Amino acid sequence: MDIETDDALVGIGKVHRVMLWDGQREREKEMLWGLPSRDADIFQIPLLKSETAIIDRPCLLLANEFGLVKRGKTIYAASLISDEPFFCIAAVWRPAHRLWPESFAALTVPAYDDLAPHKDRHVGVVRPEDWFDWLMGARPPLDMLRPFPKNSFSIMPPIQQNFDEMLGVA
């Protein structure tokens, strides 16, 4: 299992709303973003490579956008162009244990065409028509993490960057 690090995702280490399958239906739940690590040098694991991750407890992270970061600074925000009010990022969750609460890690994929000029990898987005199959494990996970076609994502500078530019901040 390959662990990834990327500070592009604001909120790692905080509680977020995810969707999971409880055996009967989908359910929203608040969980910590970051799985516990067995490595003393790594406190938590927020991202996993989809190609090598064990996807035995799939869940979906509800999102409106995700950041693209270079040298620690968010330079763009990416959003899926869709009629849905949000999109879902592929993730896996783990139950709580004595030393760690229920938590999840987002899965990454090779960059989609729209995002490749900015990053080599980023979080994997699950298409709306695949949400239930993802949650129920009804199909192979990597089949549902296929790339989106060009022009599927809008990419815009983050709001803070726009304000800084308007104010003449370097």
Side-chain angles (χ1 to χ4, degrees):
M1 169 172 57
D2 290 336
I3 299 168
E4 292 203 24
T5 58
D6 188 341
D7 56 355
L9 301 163
V10 176
I12 291 171
K14 297 180 181 172
V15 173
H16 287 276
R17 190 169 41 140
V18 298
M19 192 180 328
L20 56 90
W21 189 257
D22 71 4
Q24 302 293 320
R25 63 178 182 84
E26 79 282 358
R27 186 165 56 106
E28 288 185 29
K29 194 164 191 176
E30 300 272 320
M31 289 188 197
L32 178 72
W33 190 338
L35 300 176
S37 173
R38 293 184 188 139
D39 184 336
D41 295 330
I42 301 171
F43 176 66
Q44 64 182 0
I45 302 166
L47 301 170
L48 297 169
K49 281 188 174 181
S50 60
E51 300 91 337
T52 57
I54 297 170
I55 306 174
D56 57 349
R57 290 185 184 96
C59 66
L60 294 168
L61 172 60
L62 309 178
N64 294 93
E65 65 182 24
F66 59 91
L68 301 169
V69 174
K70 285 188 180 175
R71 292 182 292 282
K73 183 175 181 179
T74 302
I75 55 168
Y76 295 99
S79 294
L80 180 64
I81 299 168
S82 171
D83 293 333
E84 301 292 334
F86 57 87
F87 62 91
C88 292
I89 295 170
V92 294
W93 70 278
R94 297 291 177 257
H97 60 75
R98 188 173 57 88
L99 300 174
W100 202 267
E102 277 187 310
S103 56
F104 70 92
L107 298 174
T108 65
V109 296
Y112 305 141
D113 286 345
D114 293 337
L115 307 166
H118 308 288
K119 296 195 79 139
D120 293 332
R121 296 185 69 82
H122 53 72
V123 293
V125 176
V126 178
R127 289 168 169 75
E129 62 270 18
D130 293 333
W131 289 352
F132 288 106
D133 284 351
W134 178 265
L135 292 174
M136 294 184 290
R139 298 187 356 243
L142 296 181
D143 288 354
M144 292 179 273
L145 293 178
R146 62 196 181 280
F148 280 79
K150 187 111 176 116
N151 300 318
S152 294
F153 287 83
S154 65
I155 300 175
M156 61 199 119
I159 292 172
Q160 184 61 47
Q161 182 174 328
N162 290 342
F163 285 136
D164 290 348
E165 288 173 4
M166 288 174 21
L167 298 173
V169 176

mmCIF file of all heavy atoms in Angstrom, residues 19-51:
data_model
loop_
_atom_site.group_PDB
_atom_site.id
_atom_site.type_symbol
_atom_site.label_atom_id
_atom_site.label_comp_id
_atom_site.label_asym_id
_atom_site.label_seq_id
_atom_site.Cartn_x
_atom_site.Cartn_y
_atom_site.Cartn_z
ATOM 1 N N MET A 19 -19.966 9.562 3.175
ATOM 2 C CA MET A 19 -21.109 8.694 2.938
ATOM 3 C C MET A 19 -20.583 7.257 2.913
ATOM 4 O O MET A 19 -19.547 6.988 2.299
ATOM 5 C CB MET A 19 -21.754 9.053 1.591
ATOM 6 C CG MET A 19 -23.105 8.426 1.374
ATOM 7 S SD MET A 19 -23.884 8.854 -0.235
ATOM 8 C CE MET A 19 -23.327 10.486 -0.606
ATOM 9 N N LEU A 20 -21.282 6.371 3.605
ATOM 10 C CA LEU A 20 -20.904 4.962 3.596
ATOM 11 C C LEU A 20 -22.150 4.106 3.501
ATOM 12 O O LEU A 20 -23.271 4.589 3.627
ATOM 13 C CB LEU A 20 -20.048 4.604 4.820
ATOM 14 C CG LEU A 20 -20.613 4.892 6.207
ATOM 15 C CD1 LEU A 20 -21.390 3.712 6.739
ATOM 16 C CD2 LEU A 20 -19.458 5.203 7.135
ATOM 17 N N TRP A 21 -21.954 2.823 3.251
ATOM 18 C CA TRP A 21 -23.042 1.856 3.140
ATOM 19 C C TRP A 21 -23.099 1.074 4.439
ATOM 20 O O TRP A 21 -22.096 0.510 4.878
ATOM 21 C CB TRP A 21 -22.783 0.923 1.960
ATOM 22 C CG TRP A 21 -23.935 0.037 1.646
ATOM 23 C CD1 TRP A 21 -24.057 -1.287 1.952
ATOM 24 C CD2 TRP A 21 -25.131 0.400 0.964
ATOM 25 N NE1 TRP A 21 -25.262 -1.768 1.505
ATOM 26 C CE2 TRP A 21 -25.942 -0.752 0.892
ATOM 27 C CE3 TRP A 21 -25.604 1.579 0.420
ATOM 28 C CZ2 TRP A 21 -27.188 -0.751 0.283
ATOM 29 C CZ3 TRP A 21 -26.843 1.587 -0.191
ATOM 30 C CH2 TRP A 21 -27.619 0.427 -0.252
ATOM 31 N N ASP A 22 -24.264 1.044 5.084
ATOM 32 C CA ASP A 22 -24.369 0.361 6.382
ATOM 33 C C ASP A 22 -24.889 -1.075 6.258
ATOM 34 O O ASP A 22 -25.233 -1.706 7.247
ATOM 35 C CB ASP A 22 -25.216 1.170 7.365
ATOM 36 C CG ASP A 22 -26.705 1.192 7.028
ATOM 37 O OD1 ASP A 22 -27.143 0.514 6.063
ATOM 38 O OD2 ASP A 22 -27.441 1.896 7.733
ATOM 39 N N GLY A 23 -24.954 -1.589 5.038
ATOM 40 C CA GLY A 23 -25.464 -2.940 4.801
ATOM 41 C C GLY A 23 -26.889 -2.926 4.287
ATOM 42 O O GLY A 23 -27.340 -3.882 3.675
ATOM 43 N N GLN A 24 -27.604 -1.829 4.538
ATOM 44 C CA GLN A 24 -28.992 -1.677 4.093
ATOM 45 C C GLN A 24 -29.187 -0.462 3.182
ATOM 46 O O GLN A 24 -29.964 -0.498 2.255
ATOM 47 C CB GLN A 24 -29.916 -1.510 5.312
ATOM 48 C CG GLN A 24 -29.852 -2.654 6.294
ATOM 49 C CD GLN A 24 -30.402 -3.930 5.704
ATOM 50 O OE1 GLN A 24 -31.396 -3.925 4.994
ATOM 51 N NE2 GLN A 24 -29.751 -5.052 5.977
ATOM 52 N N ARG A 25 -28.482 0.614 3.520
ATOM 53 C CA ARG A 25 -28.648 1.867 2.770
ATOM 54 C C ARG A 25 -27.421 2.743 2.978
ATOM 55 O O ARG A 25 -26.582 2.479 3.832
ATOM 56 C CB ARG A 25 -29.894 2.608 3.225
ATOM 57 C CG ARG A 25 -29.841 3.046 4.679
ATOM 58 C CD ARG A 25 -31.104 3.824 5.092
ATOM 59 N NE ARG A 25 -30.991 4.269 6.455
ATOM 60 C CZ ARG A 25 -30.369 5.375 6.848
ATOM 61 N NH1 ARG A 25 -29.820 6.158 5.972
ATOM 62 N NH2 ARG A 25 -30.311 5.701 8.121
ATOM 63 N N GLU A 26 -27.352 3.831 2.189
ATOM 64 C CA GLU A 26 -26.256 4.786 2.369
ATOM 65 C C GLU A 26 -26.534 5.628 3.609
ATOM 66 O O GLU A 26 -27.682 5.837 3.985
ATOM 67 C CB GLU A 26 -26.090 5.684 1.132
ATOM 68 C CG GLU A 26 -27.060 6.823 1.007
ATOM 69 C CD GLU A 26 -28.444 6.435 0.497
ATOM 70 O OE1 GLU A 26 -28.694 5.255 0.184
ATOM 71 O OE2 GLU A 26 -29.289 7.334 0.411
ATOM 72 N N ARG A 27 -25.468 6.059 4.249
ATOM 73 C CA ARG A 27 -25.608 6.834 5.472
ATOM 74 C C ARG A 27 -24.477 7.846 5.527
ATOM 75 O O ARG A 27 -23.345 7.532 5.176
ATOM 76 C CB ARG A 27 -25.522 5.877 6.656
ATOM 77 C CG ARG A 27 -25.777 6.478 7.990
ATOM 78 C CD ARG A 27 -26.028 5.398 9.035
ATOM 79 N NE ARG A 27 -24.965 4.433 9.149
ATOM 80 C CZ ARG A 27 -24.104 4.409 10.170
ATOM 81 N NH1 ARG A 27 -24.182 5.280 11.136
ATOM 82 N NH2 ARG A 27 -23.170 3.483 10.234
ATOM 83 N N GLU A 28 -24.787 9.070 5.957
ATOM 84 C CA GLU A 28 -23.756 10.081 6.146
ATOM 85 C C GLU A 28 -23.252 10.008 7.572
ATOM 86 O O GLU A 28 -24.014 9.756 8.498
ATOM 87 C CB GLU A 28 -24.303 11.479 5.855
ATOM 88 C CG GLU A 28 -24.534 11.720 4.387
ATOM 89 C CD GLU A 28 -24.963 13.143 4.088
ATOM 90 O OE1 GLU A 28 -24.584 14.065 4.835
ATOM 91 O OE2 GLU A 28 -25.674 13.320 3.084
ATOM 92 N N LYS A 29 -21.948 10.217 7.720
ATOM 93 C CA LYS A 29 -21.324 10.121 9.029
ATOM 94 C C LYS A 29 -20.139 11.077 9.087
ATOM 95 O O LYS A 29 -19.496 11.322 8.076
ATOM 96 C CB LYS A 29 -20.861 8.680 9.237
ATOM 97 C CG LYS A 29 -20.506 8.354 10.635
ATOM 98 C CD LYS A 29 -20.440 6.867 10.807
ATOM 99 C CE LYS A 29 -20.361 6.608 12.296
ATOM 100 N NZ LYS A 29 -20.389 5.243 12.637
ATOM 101 N N GLU A 30 -19.867 11.597 10.267
ATOM 102 C CA GLU A 30 -18.696 12.446 10.484
ATOM 103 C C GLU A 30 -17.528 11.558 10.898
ATOM 104 O O GLU A 30 -17.668 10.730 11.801
ATOM 105 C CB GLU A 30 -18.979 13.463 11.590
ATOM 106 C CG GLU A 30 -20.150 14.384 11.293
ATOM 107 C CD GLU A 30 -19.737 15.628 10.535
ATOM 108 O OE1 GLU A 30 -18.678 16.185 10.848
ATOM 109 O OE2 GLU A 30 -20.487 16.046 9.639
ATOM 110 N N MET A 31 -16.380 11.732 10.221
ATOM 111 C CA MET A 31 -15.186 10.951 10.547
ATOM 112 C C MET A 31 -13.951 11.832 10.449
ATOM 113 O O MET A 31 -13.945 12.840 9.751
ATOM 114 C CB MET A 31 -15.006 9.785 9.572
ATOM 115 C CG MET A 31 -15.983 8.682 9.718
ATOM 116 S SD MET A 31 -15.465 7.304 8.661
ATOM 117 C CE MET A 31 -16.990 6.395 8.600
ATOM 118 N N LEU A 32 -12.897 11.392 11.114
ATOM 119 C CA LEU A 32 -11.608 12.076 11.058
ATOM 120 C C LEU A 32 -10.938 11.789 9.727
ATOM 121 O O LEU A 32 -10.902 10.637 9.282
ATOM 122 C CB LEU A 32 -10.708 11.576 12.202
ATOM 123 C CG LEU A 32 -9.302 12.172 12.242
ATOM 124 C CD1 LEU A 32 -9.362 13.628 12.694
ATOM 125 C CD2 LEU A 32 -8.418 11.352 13.162
ATOM 126 N N TRP A 33 -10.380 12.839 9.109
ATOM 127 C CA TRP A 33 -9.647 12.659 7.855
ATOM 128 C C TRP A 33 -8.204 12.315 8.194
ATOM 129 O O TRP A 33 -7.419 13.166 8.574
ATOM 130 C CB TRP A 33 -9.695 13.917 7.012
ATOM 131 C CG TRP A 33 -9.166 13.723 5.623
ATOM 132 C CD1 TRP A 33 -8.314 12.754 5.187
ATOM 133 C CD2 TRP A 33 -9.457 14.523 4.488
ATOM 134 N NE1 TRP A 33 -8.057 12.898 3.850
ATOM 135 C CE2 TRP A 33 -8.749 13.988 3.393
ATOM 136 C CE3 TRP A 33 -10.240 15.646 4.293
ATOM 137 C CZ2 TRP A 33 -8.797 14.546 2.127
ATOM 138 C CZ3 TRP A 33 -10.296 16.196 3.032
ATOM 139 C CH2 TRP A 33 -9.595 15.650 1.957
ATOM 140 N N GLY A 34 -7.859 11.047 8.067
ATOM 141 C CA GLY A 34 -6.509 10.570 8.313
ATOM 142 C C GLY A 34 -6.533 9.273 9.093
ATOM 143 O O GLY A 34 -7.012 9.231 10.220
ATOM 144 N N LEU A 35 -6.055 8.207 8.469
ATOM 145 C CA LEU A 35 -5.986 6.908 9.129
ATOM 146 C C LEU A 35 -4.774 6.864 10.057
ATOM 147 O O LEU A 35 -3.778 7.551 9.817
ATOM 148 C CB LEU A 35 -5.862 5.793 8.083
ATOM 149 C CG LEU A 35 -6.999 5.679 7.070
ATOM 150 C CD1 LEU A 35 -6.669 4.592 6.049
ATOM 151 C CD2 LEU A 35 -8.321 5.399 7.761
ATOM 152 N N PRO A 36 -4.839 6.048 11.105
ATOM 153 C CA PRO A 36 -3.664 5.940 11.979
ATOM 154 C C PRO A 36 -2.522 5.257 11.239
ATOM 155 O O PRO A 36 -2.735 4.403 10.387
ATOM 156 C CB PRO A 36 -4.166 5.077 13.131
ATOM 157 C CG PRO A 36 -5.284 4.276 12.551
ATOM 158 C CD PRO A 36 -5.918 5.155 11.513
ATOM 159 N N SER A 37 -1.316 5.648 11.576
ATOM 160 C CA SER A 37 -0.140 5.068 10.950
ATOM 161 C C SER A 37 0.582 4.155 11.927
ATOM 162 O O SER A 37 0.634 4.429 13.124
ATOM 163 C CB SER A 37 0.805 6.181 10.494
ATOM 164 O OG SER A 37 2.013 5.634 10.024
ATOM 165 N N ARG A 38 1.148 3.083 11.421
ATOM 166 C CA ARG A 38 1.980 2.204 12.248
ATOM 167 C C ARG A 38 3.422 2.706 12.290
ATOM 168 O O ARG A 38 4.214 2.245 13.080
ATOM 169 C CB ARG A 38 1.946 0.786 11.697
ATOM 170 C CG ARG A 38 0.584 0.156 11.826
ATOM 171 C CD ARG A 38 0.617 -1.292 11.361
ATOM 172 N NE ARG A 38 -0.743 -1.793 11.326
ATOM 173 C CZ ARG A 38 -1.220 -2.557 10.374
ATOM 174 N NH1 ARG A 38 -0.456 -2.931 9.379
ATOM 175 N NH2 ARG A 38 -2.467 -2.961 10.410
ATOM 176 N N ASP A 39 3.740 3.631 11.409
ATOM 177 C CA ASP A 39 5.082 4.205 11.314
ATOM 178 C C ASP A 39 5.184 5.383 12.280
ATOM 179 O O ASP A 39 4.420 6.340 12.186
ATOM 180 C CB ASP A 39 5.330 4.662 9.876
ATOM 181 C CG ASP A 39 6.729 5.187 9.640
ATOM 182 O OD1 ASP A 39 7.385 5.631 10.606
ATOM 183 O OD2 ASP A 39 7.160 5.162 8.483
ATOM 184 N N ALA A 40 6.133 5.317 13.188
ATOM 185 C CA ALA A 40 6.284 6.373 14.199
ATOM 186 C C ALA A 40 6.606 7.736 13.580
ATOM 187 O O ALA A 40 6.318 8.775 14.176
ATOM 188 C CB ALA A 40 7.376 5.980 15.188
ATOM 189 N N ASP A 41 7.186 7.747 12.385
ATOM 190 C CA ASP A 41 7.518 9.017 11.724
ATOM 191 C C ASP A 41 6.333 9.643 11.013
ATOM 192 O O ASP A 41 6.394 10.791 10.588
ATOM 193 C CB ASP A 41 8.653 8.810 10.721
ATOM 194 C CG ASP A 41 9.948 8.402 11.402
ATOM 195 O OD1 ASP A 41 10.159 8.809 12.568
ATOM 196 O OD2 ASP A 41 10.734 7.676 10.771
ATOM 197 N N ILE A 42 5.263 8.877 10.835
ATOM 198 C CA ILE A 42 4.077 9.371 10.138
ATOM 199 C C ILE A 42 2.915 9.323 11.118
ATOM 200 O O ILE A 42 2.491 8.251 11.534
ATOM 201 C CB ILE A 42 3.754 8.507 8.899
ATOM 202 C CG1 ILE A 42 4.935 8.500 7.931
ATOM 203 C CG2 ILE A 42 2.489 8.996 8.216
ATOM 204 C CD1 ILE A 42 4.784 7.502 6.796
ATOM 205 N N PHE A 43 2.380 10.485 11.470
ATOM 206 C CA PHE A 43 1.303 10.548 12.455
ATOM 207 C C PHE A 43 0.008 9.961 11.908
ATOM 208 O O PHE A 43 -0.661 9.169 12.556
ATOM 209 C CB PHE A 43 1.094 11.987 12.918
ATOM 210 C CG PHE A 43 -0.065 12.154 13.861
ATOM 211 C CD1 PHE A 43 -0.042 11.580 15.121
ATOM 212 C CD2 PHE A 43 -1.181 12.877 13.478
ATOM 213 C CE1 PHE A 43 -1.113 11.721 15.993
ATOM 214 C CE2 PHE A 43 -2.256 13.024 14.338
ATOM 215 C CZ PHE A 43 -2.223 12.452 15.596
ATOM 216 N N GLN A 44 -0.373 10.392 10.706
ATOM 217 C CA GLN A 44 -1.611 9.909 10.108
ATOM 218 C C GLN A 44 -1.455 9.802 8.601
ATOM 219 O O GLN A 44 -0.559 10.395 8.016
ATOM 220 C CB GLN A 44 -2.779 10.811 10.451
ATOM 221 C CG GLN A 44 -2.663 12.208 9.904
ATOM 222 C CD GLN A 44 -3.832 13.078 10.329
ATOM 223 O OE1 GLN A 44 -4.721 12.637 11.031
ATOM 224 N NE2 GLN A 44 -3.826 14.316 9.900
ATOM 225 N N ILE A 45 -2.361 9.054 7.987
ATOM 226 C CA ILE A 45 -2.307 8.802 6.546
ATOM 227 C C ILE A 45 -3.569 9.387 5.920
ATOM 228 O O ILE A 45 -4.646 8.803 6.024
ATOM 229 C CB ILE A 45 -2.220 7.290 6.270
ATOM 230 C CG1 ILE A 45 -0.984 6.707 6.973
ATOM 231 C CG2 ILE A 45 -2.196 7.025 4.770
ATOM 232 C CD1 ILE A 45 -0.977 5.202 7.047
ATOM 233 N N PRO A 46 -3.464 10.545 5.245
ATOM 234 C CA PRO A 46 -4.644 11.169 4.659
ATOM 235 C C PRO A 46 -4.960 10.700 3.239
ATOM 236 O O PRO A 46 -6.100 10.775 2.804
ATOM 237 C CB PRO A 46 -4.283 12.647 4.657
ATOM 238 C CG PRO A 46 -2.795 12.669 4.560
ATOM 239 C CD PRO A 46 -2.305 11.434 5.261
ATOM 240 N N LEU A 47 -3.953 10.215 2.507
ATOM 241 C CA LEU A 47 -4.119 9.836 1.107
ATOM 242 C C LEU A 47 -3.473 8.488 0.844
ATOM 243 O O LEU A 47 -2.410 8.189 1.379
ATOM 244 C CB LEU A 47 -3.451 10.875 0.189
ATOM 245 C CG LEU A 47 -3.954 12.308 0.291
ATOM 246 C CD1 LEU A 47 -3.041 13.233 -0.489
ATOM 247 C CD2 LEU A 47 -5.383 12.409 -0.214
ATOM 248 N N LEU A 48 -4.128 7.698 -0.006
ATOM 249 C CA LEU A 48 -3.599 6.403 -0.421
ATOM 250 C C LEU A 48 -3.695 6.297 -1.937
ATOM 251 O O LEU A 48 -4.682 6.745 -2.534
ATOM 252 C CB LEU A 48 -4.408 5.264 0.196
ATOM 253 C CG LEU A 48 -4.399 5.137 1.710
ATOM 254 C CD1 LEU A 48 -5.462 4.131 2.154
ATOM 255 C CD2 LEU A 48 -3.034 4.733 2.208
ATOM 256 N N LYS A 49 -2.698 5.680 -2.553
ATOM 257 C CA LYS A 49 -2.761 5.434 -3.997
ATOM 258 C C LYS A 49 -3.831 4.378 -4.264
ATOM 259 O O LYS A 49 -3.791 3.286 -3.696
ATOM 260 C CB LYS A 49 -1.418 4.940 -4.526
ATOM 261 C CG LYS A 49 -0.413 6.024 -4.720
ATOM 262 C CD LYS A 49 0.812 5.472 -5.432
ATOM 263 C CE LYS A 49 1.754 6.612 -5.740
ATOM 264 N NZ LYS A 49 2.945 6.109 -6.446
ATOM 265 N N SER A 50 -4.759 4.689 -5.133
ATOM 266 C CA SER A 50 -5.866 3.768 -5.415
ATOM 267 C C SER A 50 -5.375 2.439 -5.978
ATOM 268 O O SER A 50 -5.976 1.397 -5.699
ATOM 269 C CB SER A 50 -6.861 4.415 -6.376
ATOM 270 O OG SER A 50 -6.219 4.747 -7.605
ATOM 271 N N GLU A 51 -4.285 2.471 -6.732
ATOM 272 C CA GLU A 51 -3.799 1.252 -7.374
ATOM 273 C C GLU A 51 -3.237 0.240 -6.370
ATOM 274 O O GLU A 51 -3.160 -0.945 -6.676
ATOM 275 C CB GLU A 51 -2.694 1.586 -8.397
ATOM 276 C CG GLU A 51 -3.138 2.520 -9.504
ATOM 277 C CD GLU A 51 -2.913 4.002 -9.175
ATOM 278 O OE1 GLU A 51 -2.819 4.372 -7.983
ATOM 279 O OE2 GLU A 51 -2.849 4.798 -10.124
#
